[in-house]
Structure formats: C-alpha cells, structure tokens
Amino acid sequence: MCRFLAWIGDPRFIDEFVLNAGQSLVTQSRSALIGKTSLNADGFGLAWYGDRDLPCVYKDVHPAWSDENLKQIASHIKARLFLAHVRASTSTAISRNNCHPFSKGRWSFMHNGQLGGHLKLRQKLDVMIPVECYDQRYGATDSEAIFLIAVGLGLDRSPISAMEQAVGKVEMLAREAGHTPHMRFSACWSDGEKVYAARYASDRFVPSLFYRLQEDGIVVCSEPLDEDESGWIEISPGTAITTDGRTLEKVEFRPQACVVNT
Amino acid sequence: MCRFLAWIGDPRFIDEFVLNAGQSLVTQSRSALIGKTSLNADGFGLAWYGDRDLPCVYKDVHPAWSDENLKQIASHIKARLFLAHVRASTSTAISRNNCHPFSKGRWSFMHNGQLGGHLKLRQKLDVMIPVECYDQRYGATDSEAIFLIAVGLGLDRSPISAMEQAVGKVEMLAREAGHTPHMRFSACWSDGEKVYAARYASDRFVPSLFYRLQEDGIVVCSEPLDEDESGWIEISPGTAITTDGRTLEKVEFRPQACVVNT
Amino acid sequence: MCRFLAWIGDPRFIDEFVLNAGQSLVTQSRSALIGKTSLNADGFGLAWYGDRDLPCVYKDVHPAWSDENLKQIASHIKARLFLAHVRASTSTAISRNNCHPFSKGRWSFMHNGQLGGHLKLRQKLDVMIPVECYDQRYGATDSEAIFLIAVGLGLDRSPISAMEQAVGKVEMLAREAGHTPHMRFSACWSDGEKVYAARYASDRFVPSLFYRLQEDGIVVCSEPLDEDESGWIEISPGTAITTDGRTLEKVEFRPQACVVNT
Amino acid sequence: MCRFLAWIGDPRFIDEFVLNAGQSLVTQSRSALIGKTSLNADGFGLAWYGDRDLPCVYKDVHPAWSDENLKQIASHIKARLFLAHVRASTSTAISRNNCHPFSKGRWSFMHNGQLGGHLKLRQKLDVMIPVECYDQRYGATDSEAIFLIAVGLGLDRSPISAMEQAVGKVEMLAREAGHTPHMRFSACWSDGEKVYAARYASDRFVPSLFYRLQEDGIVVCSEPLDEDESGWIEISPGTAITTDGRTLEKVEFRPQACVVNT
C-alpha cells in the first residue's frame, strides 16, 4: 500500500502539501495514519505540469524523508497541477522504475492498492499492455501495467471509463485465477488539464481516498493532510471524480460491471 | 556492449582480476580496449559461489570504479568460481535489475551483445519466458530474457544446447521483424560446478571472447586482462566452451541451425 | 539513535542475526522495540573479519529491509566476527560516509548515542582528530569523530581506556558549551581478535546494550534479538565488556572521571 | 578535474546547454575535449534561481548521462540563472555531499581545479572555515572548503575579492607544506543576481574557462559547447569576470598577491 496526493488550482509550492502540512506526505512516509502500513519508505515520486506539455517526473528510491533533492525541488517548484506519491512495496523491487507516478505522453498516474496473486499474474498483465506502450513498461508493478493497459483502452478519449475497463480486466485475471483480494484500487491520474481519481475494491477493504475543496483549488489525497476534520470529504467506494480545480464531478466507477457488459 | 570475466579454479581473491590486473575489469569500465564502447559505466555486478548452493549476487548502478563497496567485497572475497560484469547500457534503464549477472537457482549468467530492435521486441521476448520463471523477470534487458528462456529450455539438463536454442529463438524474432543486427552474443554462465561460455553473431561483428589456462584455473573474459599476448586464447565465433577449471572442452554453438532443426 | 549487533565465536552466517531472528536487525530497522526511534532506516552497514587482516566493510544508504545486496551478502557470508548496524540519523546527511561501522586499519566501530549540540561542536570535534587519521574522516558524524579520536588516544594499546578518554573529551566539549545531553553512548568495536562494547550516559537515559552467551560464541546487541528473556543480559550503565567469544570480562567505563584524572 | 557551465540572461530551459548542445555538459561527462580527464562521471549538480530567494540545488552521484531525473528536470526547468556541474573526483568520495554546486544562503559555487596535497591539508582547510558556516560543511572536498572560507571572508560584500583571498590563503597552505601544484582554480559562483567566475593557477597549467555573449544572455563554461569557434572567448589566466547577463566586466584575480598584501 502507498500514500499519495494531487493538487490542481492556483500555483502552489509543492512543499506546502508534501513537506509542511501537519500530516504531510513526507510525514505519511514515516507514519501514515490510515491504511495497512504506516511505513511508506520504499521510494517516492513527483510529477508536475509546468512550461512544457509533458509532465516533469522526479522519482527516487530513498525514503521521502531522507532525500535532500526532494526537499529542494518540493520547496522551489510552484505548479498549478502536481501529483506526489510515497511507496510501500508489496512485492516488487525497490527501483526507480517501480516508483509512481508513471507517465506516458501527457498522462501521469499513481496508485495505492493491491492485486491478488500479482506476482503470479505478471506475465498475463504484461501481455495485456498494448505493444505500442510496451517500450514504456519500465518496471514490474501491477500499477504501471494497469496504467498502460488503460492508455491502450483509450484514456485519451474517456479518462474514467478506460481506467474502469483496465481495472475490470485486471480484476478478472485475479478472479479467474482464484487469487484474493481480486482488486483494491485507489488511484489518481491527470493529463495536465484535469485531475481524475477513483476508489474501488472487489471486497470491503477499499483503500482510502479524500479530497478538499479550497478557495484556490482542490487537493486529492489518500488521507487528510491535517486534523481539521471539517474540510476533508471521503470519496465513496465505487466512485470516480473529475476536477479542473474549481468544479468537481462524481460518477460511478464499477470495473466489473463494465467488463461484464463488454 | 559490456565487459565481463569469470574465474574457475583454486580460490582467488576477486580483486586480482577485477581490480588489480593491468587491464582489470574496473579499468575496462573506464577504457575498454576492444569493443564498440570504451566506457562501461552503467552499473556492475558480481556473482560468486561460496558456502551455500546458490551464488551470492552483488550488483549496483554506479560505475565500477566509483563503488567503495565493490572494492571492499572484491578484495575480501576469495572464491573458486566467480563472475564479474560491467555494463554499457544500449537502451534499457540503469537499474540494479538490469545489471548482470542474473541468477536463477544455482545458475548465474552474464552477457555482452546486441539484439536488433530489442525495444520493439521486448513484449515478444517476455512472452517467451516460461511462466514459472517470470517472477524472476526483474528487469527489462534482452540479456535477462535470453537467460530465463534458456532456463525454460532445459539449462539444467543441457547447458550449452539450451542456451543455443534460446539464442536461436530470440534471433528468429529479430530476423522475422527485419531488425539488424539479428544477434550478437558473447556470454558466460555457470551452475556453480562448471563455467560455460559462447561466442556467436548473425553477422561478422562477433563480440570478443577470450580465455587463459593457468596452473590453478581458467579465466574467461571479454578482453585480455594484461598485455601478455601469449597467454590469451581467442574463442572462435560459433563456439562454446565448458570448463571445470582444469580441462576445457569446445563445441560448436550455432543457434540458427539449432532452431531450424527443431 | 541507531541499532546494532556483533557476533564473535564459531563462524555463523550473518543473516541468522541480521535477517532471520525474530527481532532481527532488519526487523529493528522498521520497528525497534527499545530506544527513542522505532525507525532506523537511514542506511546500514556490515563489517566482518575473514581472510584478510582488515575487515570487509559494506554500507549503503537504503533502509536495511529494502537492500537486495544486503540480503545476498548476509545470507552468504559466514564469519567468526562481524558487526552490523542500522542507522537513524539525528542530524547529519544520509550518506554512505555517515553509515556505521567505521573502520581504520584493523579496527571497526559502531555507535548508538547522542552528543548534545553536535552540529555546533562539529568543528571542535574535527580538530580533536589526530592529523594522521584525518584522511579517514570521510563523513560528518560525531560517531566517526569519537572513533578516530580514540584511535589517536591509543586504541591499539588500550582498547577500553582509549575509548573512555575519547568519550570523556568529547563529553567535556558539550559540557563546556552547555549542550545537553552531554553524552549518551552505547558502542561496540573490534580489532578482529576481540569485541569491545561500552554503555554510558552523562544523564539517566543510557542507551540500551545487551549480550547473550551461547555455546558457540557471544552476541552483543542494542536490543534482544528474540523474546526469550532468560538469555539476554543487560550491560549496566558505566560498564564496558571485552570478549573473545568464549570469556567475557567487565570493567568500569567512566569517561568523565577518566578525563578529570588526566 | 571537472566541467561546468552557467547561464544568466533571459529564461532558458536548462537542457539547451546541459543536454542538447553539440558539446553539452552531459557530452562532456563522457568525453570532455579540454582538460586532464575526458571522463567526468563521478556525480553532477544543478543550481537554479527561481521563485524563491535561495537557489534550488539538485545533485546526485550517478554519471550525468545516466540519470533520468536530470533529463527530466533539465528539460522542464526554465531559469534566468543556473549553474551546472559534472564531477571527476580527484581524491574524495563519490557522494552527494561532494557534488557541486555547493550553496549557502543565496550563494552557489562550483569549481574545477586542484590543490596540491589536498588530502593531507584537509584538517587545516576545515579549521579555516568560519564556525558559523561549519554546519554547512557537508562533504570533504577542497572546493566546498574554499567556498565556505570565502563566505567567511565577506563574499556578500566583495564577491571577487573574498574569493581571491580565500584561494590565496588555501594556496599558501599548499605552498608552505611544499605540495604541488599549489593551486589550480577555475570557478563560477552566484548570488542569484550576478554570475562571477575566475581563472587562475600558481603554475602554467591553468584550468580552462570560456564565455559567450549572446543576444539574450551570457554563458560561462569550462569548454565551448559547440564547434563554432568565433563565439567563444577564453578568459585569461589571472582574471575574474562579473556579469549580469547583459554586461561583462573583467578584473585581475591574483590570490597570492592579495594574501601577501594582508
């Protein structure tokens, strides 16, 4: 399991949320309050959208609290849209290629979740990645595979539904192979214009996901960044959100239903 | 392209060949004399056989010359059988998972070579890896894929012929897709009992491979470790060797013929 | 604060204590049971004595639980004498040069403790290091400084008393500058023949230190490696031990008294 | 010896000079054309001035060509003033703390050069660092020491003359100890407003230093970034420059004279 956050709105320094908040992402790397593991120290990553079309991605394998470069970058980069992630490896190696966010073209993606029997299903996952995305299959995580599968299923055209289908197809693999939990999925992704996020599980242990509406934008995160309970809204299981930083829209996110329908 | 060496014989400190020889492997990491790239600074690795059945594998992403741990380990470990490798990445990421030697069970493997269109063929390579080996497909190199494919083809039963078939099958992929060079392959592998090595290419640019018979054992290497020309014997293209450190046997290594025959 | 252990006796695989014990050192890197910080994830190090006079030192900046090389080395190296350490940085950078054990010649040294106002006293500490040791002042920790100062005070001749004086002199710096705690010190050091350890503090918060007598040798450690309470003996504050793996001798360790006396 | 460049002028993407130029800094990390070592692969660093008063510093120990993070950051950050450096270690460890640029407050500093007998003089250098700067003495290089000594000598008030005195004092150490070369020094530093650079040696082997006036700013660099010989102006030995990106001023830089005068 992992922890993440995203910001979209007026430009903000990344360190406000990643370093300075009471329960900042770096604090969560040492002691997350929600979730299976309090420790998320197997690497970290940032993706922000700035002067180029593509996101700038910075990842490393150290614990987030111990990387001086992360402190520097987070405290100097001001962006209207950024994603940040700290990793707790479930099974795959601790390597930059396995750190989130992943990116392809304008898209960036980060994930917290679990796929039953992932190590045994890896080759089947790899086969589901479209060949034209395979040169960007850098690592070995199920997260990256789900992302690239979603790209192949039309993330550009329908950002929520392509992800829903990708998750559904991958869940089906676990279901057919009898591995549990079939799917636990909390994720956030962006094309540089909007931020998308979804929360879902095939059982009742749905990874947490929250957002907060602020005057100048919207934060999405795995767990509240401070103790002010009033501001944080929990996203319901089976729900996806889309936001441009001012408005926020909710839709159903039902991967299995979606696969069954096809 | 990369550089490597192996030792089998009476126990020797690893640093004799890796650090102290005139044209040691660490020297080759800065300035190899033979081969396409004089610089082999994209990581390194050691595998040695000691008190356990499995090899001990130590890899890192730094240039070999700059890793203090490598100096320490190479100068303290004495082994009757070891493999050492310095990497020049052709296309895949610089990551521990992409460093040689690779290992599975008792087997270790290291490689210097090139597969035309590797990045485009990666998914097809991955599919050729037997599912029971796929949890050890840690990285993205063609080298690791060839090794795991060979394991699946019976490396345990017939160490030369399984490798020959694996190389043949992979070459066929490049050939069918029209990528050149189809295959350039110089490699060395071991089960802890014997050292195997082969030299082959589908064109006339065959990566170099040498050995030297010493009183107390045999060195196999990409290029001579000193300027004493008398001692170093070049392995002919299309040839594989098997050695237990005292005797050395040569056989043909003809991947394509072998694939055509099946 | 940090965690460490040492073994002296019949040769043992390092992983028995570092990886496999119930409360192994790697477990302590995630969740130490005693001490100020449960997390000791700012790097690790090993020093073992083998075929050479000098110890082999292997250190890296990753959390001990996430370093594949550590797993490999710990499970393949069998040694009659080894030291192992996991670090929780109090103030200085996370860098290989700041990881324990430190070594000079045959000596290796590791430490868990605290020096009040360390960052402000650093230059004074550096000045106390004998000039002939200064080329081995690689990092910035107070631990390394205390070790090198002890070398200068005759660690070769009197391993306990030189350390006692070094600690006393450094404590005096903190005392004079009015920084608290003046000194908290739990450490272990070796010349490859014997293992020395000491436990001391200028206040009542003395870092923990234990040992266990086994049939085949002696373990010294920051905290018990399993829940079997009968075997672990706590070293009293103000005490140093010397052991060759069969016998164990205790003496007083009173740094301030020792400095006052000179 | 090392290679570096600085830009001051209209905002430019860092990758134009660091990655994309014909003889870019990353190319120089593999094969510098001028200087003692063609290979500068012992780490790298960037410092740029953006939305904050302090520079943002990003450093790592990998060769510049192999760091994906460097590619990302260099191609996304656009700045009016930046410094970039690739390192060839002469003696000290390969560690982030030994990578340039160094920074203190608004100042950043990078260096290419040599101090005779540096390892033997290290403690004397450390003593010359003002105590209030010593908590920022992170590494072990002579470069960082010279920078912090210059800070102590009034870099804020007189950026050229404080550096001149610092270099002079350090050269005196080598001269008194009889180590050669006494001093070879090519460096570049900035307070975020102007860029300063100086070229000097106590013998005739003066490390190279160039600049180019462009319509939109000024580049300072160890060696020309392309083969267009017309644009690059060599700075004469014993000379320092000051530039705000539009105008450029030259003054004498005579460290020994300056020390003798005091």
Side-chain angles (χ1 to χ4, degrees):
Chain A
M1 310 296 269
C2 309
R3 302 279 90 179
F4 63 70
L5 65 80
W7 167 256
I8 181 166
D10 293 345
R12 287 254 191 170
F13 283 109
I14 293 174
D15 64 355
E16 292 185 51
F17 302 116
V18 167
L19 284 167
N20 304 340
Q23 182 66 5
S24 73
L25 199 65
V26 165
T27 302
Q28 293 176 43
S29 73
R30 296 186 79 102
S31 51
L33 298 176
I34 307 181
K36 285 171 63 176
T37 51
S38 67
L39 201 50
N40 296 278
D42 297 329
F44 65 84
L46 296 177
W48 70 89
Y49 292 84
D51 291 326
R52 303 266 200 197
D53 282 345
L54 303 183
C56 184
V57 180
Y58 171 64
K59 304 177 178 188
D60 217 335
V61 295
H62 312 106
W65 73 76
S66 76
D67 191 76
E68 184 59 30
N69 287 330
L70 176 62
K71 272 182 228 162
Q72 288 281 326
I73 289 168
S75 66
H76 283 89
I77 300 295
K78 204 173 182 171
R80 60 175 180 80
L81 200 172
F82 56 83
L83 286 70
H85 186 275
V86 290
R87 184 172 180 236
S89 170
T90 41
S91 51
T92 51
I94 290 157
S95 132
R96 283 192 189 177
N97 293 326
N98 288 343
C99 288
H100 311 220
F102 304 100
S103 73
K104 171 142 180 71
R106 285 185 61 79
W107 286 101
S108 56
F109 171 83
M110 59 190 177
H111 171 234
N112 167 32
Q114 209 180 342
L115 167 65
H118 164 232
L119 286 186
K120 291 185 181 152
L121 296 173
R122 265 186 63 209
Q123 197 172 29
K124 287 187 179 166
L125 280 177
D126 281 353
V127 171
M128 289 168 66
I129 297 172
V131 64
E132 66 274 15
C133 292
Y134 209 77
D135 60 337
Q136 310 217 349
R137 172 53 156 163
Y138 296 115
T141 60
D142 50 354
S143 310
E144 187 191 38
I146 291 171
F147 169 51
L148 294 174
I149 293 167
V151 169
L153 290 167
L155 203 64
D156 275 330
R157 293 186 309 276
S158 45
I160 300 284
S161 139
M163 189 61 70
E164 202 177 19
Q165 285 177 58
V167 172
K169 280 173 187 289
V170 170
E171 177 179 338
M172 193 75 90
L173 282 186
R175 204 172 276 277
E176 286 170 359
H179 299 303
T180 53
H182 301 324
M183 176 61 72
R184 290 178 190 155
F185 179 84
S186 170
C188 184
W189 58 106
S190 177
D191 58 358
E193 299 299 324
K194 295 184 178 177
V195 164
Y196 307 88
R199 186 180 180 213
Y200 166 79
S202 57
D203 60 11
R204 64 201 174 83
F205 301 102
V206 198
S208 58
L209 194 60
F210 294 82
Y211 67 90
R212 184 170 68 187
L213 303 168
Q214 302 187 180
E215 275 193 17
D216 60 342
I218 287 170
V219 195
V220 180
C221 51
S222 300
E223 66 182 65
L225 304 178
D226 56 37
E227 294 179 353
D228 177 11
E229 292 185 13
S230 61
W232 298 101
I233 299 165
E234 190 169 6
I235 297 175
S236 307
T239 304
I241 64 167
T242 303
T243 175
D244 60 3
R246 290 180 307 275
T247 60
L248 185 142
E249 191 186 333
K250 293 185 188 179
V251 295
E252 270 205 340
F253 188 82
R254 296 286 174 201
Q256 273 307 311
C258 132
V259 170
V260 169
N261 288 343
T262 25
Chain B
M1 310 297 268
C2 309
R3 302 280 91 178
F4 63 71
L5 66 78
W7 168 256
I8 179 166
D10 293 345
R12 288 251 191 172
F13 283 110
I14 293 175
D15 65 355
E16 291 186 50
F17 303 116
V18 167
L19 283 167
N20 303 340
Q23 182 66 6
S24 73
L25 200 65
V26 165
T27 303
Q28 292 176 44
S29 73
R30 297 186 77 102
S31 50
L33 298 175
I34 307 182
K36 286 172 64 177
T37 51
S38 67
L39 201 51
N40 296 278
D42 297 330
F44 64 85
L46 295 178
W48 69 89
Y49 293 85
D51 291 326
R52 303 265 200 196
D53 282 345
L54 304 183
C56 183
V57 180
Y58 170 64
K59 304 177 179 189
D60 217 334
V61 295
H62 312 107
W65 72 76
S66 75
D67 191 75
E68 183 59 30
N69 287 330
L70 176 62
K71 272 182 228 162
Q72 288 281 326
I73 289 168
S75 67
H76 283 89
I77 300 295
K78 204 173 182 172
R80 58 174 182 81
L81 202 171
F82 57 84
L83 285 69
H85 186 274
V86 290
R87 183 172 181 236
S89 169
T90 41
S91 51
T92 49
I94 290 158
S95 130
R96 282 192 188 176
N97 293 328
N98 288 341
C99 288
H100 311 220
F102 305 99
S103 72
K104 170 141 181 74
R106 285 185 61 79
W107 286 101
S108 56
F109 172 83
M110 60 189 176
H111 171 234
N112 167 32
Q114 209 180 342
L115 168 65
H118 165 231
L119 287 186
K120 291 184 182 152
L121 296 173
R122 266 186 62 208
Q123 197 173 27
K124 288 187 177 165
L125 280 176
D126 280 354
V127 171
M128 289 168 66
I129 297 172
V131 65
E132 66 274 16
C133 292
Y134 210 77
D135 60 338
Q136 309 217 350
R137 171 52 156 163
Y138 296 114
T141 60
D142 50 355
S143 311
E144 186 190 38
I146 291 171
F147 169 53
L148 294 174
I149 293 168
V151 169
L153 290 168
L155 204 62
D156 274 331
R157 295 185 307 275
S158 45
I160 300 284
S161 139
M163 190 60 72
E164 202 176 19
Q165 286 177 58
V167 172
K169 280 174 189 287
V170 171
E171 177 179 339
M172 194 75 91
L173 282 185
R175 206 173 274 277
E176 286 170 359
H179 300 303
T180 55
H182 301 323
M183 177 60 71
R184 291 177 188 156
F185 179 84
S186 170
C188 184
W189 58 106
S190 178
D191 58 358
E193 298 300 323
K194 295 182 178 179
V195 164
Y196 306 88
R199 187 181 180 212
Y200 166 79
S202 57
D203 61 11
R204 63 201 175 81
F205 300 103
V206 197
S208 58
L209 194 59
F210 295 81
Y211 67 91
R212 185 170 67 187
L213 304 168
Q214 303 188 179
E215 275 193 18
D216 60 341
I218 287 171
V219 195
V220 180
C221 51
S222 300
E223 65 182 68
L225 303 178
D226 58 36
E227 293 179 353
D228 176 11
E229 293 186 11
S230 61
W232 298 102
I233 299 166
E234 191 169 6
I235 297 176
S236 306
T239 304
I241 65 167
T242 303
T243 175
D244 59 3
R246 291 181 308 274
T247 61
L248 185 142
E249 192 186 333
K250 294 185 189 181
V251 294
E252 270 205 338
F253 189 82
R254 297 287 176 201
Q256 272 308 310
C258 131
V259 171
V260 170
N261 287 344
T262 26
Chain C
M1 309 299 266
C2 309
R3 302 281 91 178
F4 62 72
L5 66 79
W7 168 255
I8 180 166
D10 292 345
R12 288 253 190 168
F13 283 109
I14 294 175
D15 64 356
E16 291 184 51
F17 302 116
V18 168
L19 283 167
N20 303 339
Q23 182 67 3
S24 72
L25 199 66
V26 166
T27 302
Q28 293 177 43
S29 72
R30 297 186 77 103
S31 49
L33 298 176
I34 307 182
K36 284 171 65 178
T37 52
S38 68
L39 201 50
N40 296 277
D42 298 329
F44 64 85
L46 296 177
W48 70 89
Y49 292 85
D51 291 325
R52 303 264 200 199
D53 282 345
L54 304 183
C56 183
V57 181
Y58 170 65
K59 304 176 178 189
D60 217 336
V61 294
H62 312 107
W65 72 76
S66 76
D67 191 75
E68 184 58 31
N69 287 330
L70 176 62
K71 272 182 227 161
Q72 288 281 325
I73 289 168
S75 67
H76 282 89
I77 300 295
K78 204 173 182 171
R80 59 174 180 81
L81 202 172
F82 57 83
L83 285 70
H85 187 275
V86 290
R87 183 172 182 236
S89 169
T90 41
S91 51
T92 50
I94 290 157
S95 131
R96 283 193 189 177
N97 293 327
N98 288 342
C99 288
H100 312 219
F102 304 100
S103 73
K104 170 140 182 73
R106 284 185 60 80
W107 286 102
S108 56
F109 172 82
M110 60 190 176
H111 171 234
N112 168 32
Q114 209 181 341
L115 167 65
H118 164 232
L119 287 186
K120 291 185 181 151
L121 296 173
R122 266 186 62 210
Q123 198 172 28
K124 287 186 178 166
L125 279 176
D126 281 353
V127 171
M128 289 168 67
I129 297 172
V131 65
E132 66 274 16
C133 293
Y134 209 76
D135 59 338
Q136 308 217 353
R137 171 53 156 162
Y138 297 114
T141 59
D142 49 354
S143 310
E144 188 191 37
I146 291 171
F147 169 53
L148 293 174
I149 293 167
V151 169
L153 290 168
L155 203 63
D156 274 331
R157 294 185 308 275
S158 45
I160 301 284
S161 139
M163 189 62 70
E164 201 178 20
Q165 286 177 58
V167 173
K169 280 173 187 287
V170 170
E171 177 180 337
M172 193 75 89
L173 281 186
R175 205 174 275 276
E176 287 169 359
H179 300 302
T180 53
H182 301 324
M183 176 62 72
R184 292 178 189 156
F185 179 83
S186 170
C188 185
W189 60 105
S190 178
D191 59 357
E193 298 301 324
K194 295 183 178 177
V195 163
Y196 307 88
R199 186 180 179 213
Y200 167 78
S202 57
D203 59 13
R204 64 201 174 84
F205 301 102
V206 196
S208 58
L209 194 60
F210 294 82
Y211 67 90
R212 185 170 66 187
L213 303 167
Q214 303 188 180
E215 275 194 17
D216 60 341
I218 287 171
V219 195
V220 180
C221 52
S222 301
E223 66 182 65
L225 304 178
D226 56 37
E227 293 179 353
D228 177 11
E229 293 185 10
S230 61
W232 298 101
I233 299 166
E234 190 169 7
I235 297 176
S236 307
T239 304
I241 64 167
T242 303
T243 175
D244 59 4
R246 290 180 310 275
T247 61
L248 185 142
E249 191 187 333
K250 295 185 188 179
V251 294
E252 269 205 339
F253 189 82
R254 296 285 175 203
Q256 273 308 312
C258 133
V259 170
V260 170
N261 289 344
T262 27
Chain D
M1 310 297 266
C2 308
R3 303 279 91 180
F4 63 70
L5 66 78
W7 168 255
I8 180 167
D10 294 345
R12 288 251 191 172
F13 282 109
I14 293 175
D15 64 354
E16 292 185 50
F17 302 116
V18 167
L19 283 168
N20 303 340
Q23 182 66 6
S24 73
L25 199 66
V26 166
T27 302
Q28 292 176 44
S29 73
R30 297 186 76 102
S31 50
L33 299 175
I34 307 182
K36 285 172 64 178
T37 51
S38 67
L39 201 50
N40 296 277
D42 297 330
F44 64 85
L46 295 178
W48 69 89
Y49 292 84
D51 291 325
R52 303 266 200 197
D53 281 346
L54 304 183
C56 183
V57 180
Y58 170 65
K59 304 177 179 190
D60 217 335
V61 295
H62 311 108
W65 72 78
S66 75
D67 190 75
E68 184 58 31
N69 286 330
L70 176 63
K71 273 182 226 161
Q72 288 281 326
I73 289 168
S75 67
H76 283 89
I77 300 294
K78 205 173 182 172
R80 59 175 182 80
L81 201 171
F82 57 84
L83 285 69
H85 186 274
V86 291
R87 183 171 182 236
S89 169
T90 42
S91 51
T92 49
I94 290 158
S95 132
R96 282 192 188 177
N97 292 327
N98 288 341
C99 288
H100 311 220
F102 304 99
S103 73
K104 170 141 181 73
R106 284 186 59 79
W107 286 101
S108 56
F109 171 83
M110 60 189 175
H111 171 235
N112 167 32
Q114 210 180 341
L115 167 66
H118 164 232
L119 287 186
K120 291 183 182 153
L121 296 173
R122 266 187 62 210
Q123 197 173 28
K124 288 187 177 166
L125 280 176
D126 281 354
V127 171
M128 289 168 66
I129 297 172
V131 65
E132 66 274 15
C133 293
Y134 209 78
D135 60 338
Q136 309 219 348
R137 172 51 157 165
Y138 296 114
T141 60
D142 49 355
S143 310
E144 188 191 38
I146 291 172
F147 169 53
L148 294 174
I149 294 167
V151 169
L153 291 168
L155 203 63
D156 275 331
R157 294 185 309 275
S158 45
I160 300 285
S161 140
M163 189 61 70
E164 202 177 20
Q165 285 177 58
V167 173
K169 280 173 188 287
V170 171
E171 178 179 338
M172 194 75 90
L173 283 186
R175 204 174 277 276
E176 287 170 0
H179 300 303
T180 54
H182 301 324
M183 177 61 71
R184 291 178 190 155
F185 180 83
S186 169
C188 184
W189 59 105
S190 178
D191 58 358
E193 299 299 323
K194 295 183 179 178
V195 164
Y196 306 88
R199 186 180 180 213
Y200 166 80
S202 58
D203 61 11
R204 64 200 173 83
F205 301 102
V206 197
S208 58
L209 194 59
F210 294 82
Y211 67 92
R212 184 169 68 186
L213 304 168
Q214 302 188 179
E215 276 193 16
D216 60 341
I218 286 171
V219 195
V220 179
C221 52
S222 300
E223 64 182 66
L225 304 179
D226 58 37
E227 293 179 353
D228 177 11
E229 293 185 10
S230 62
W232 298 101
I233 299 166
E234 190 169 7
I235 297 175
S236 307
T239 304
I241 64 167
T242 302
T243 175
D244 59 4
R246 291 181 308 276
T247 60
L248 186 142
E249 191 187 333
K250 294 185 187 178
V251 295
E252 269 205 340
F253 189 82
R254 296 287 175 200
Q256 272 309 309
C258 131
V259 170
V260 170
N261 288 344
T262 25

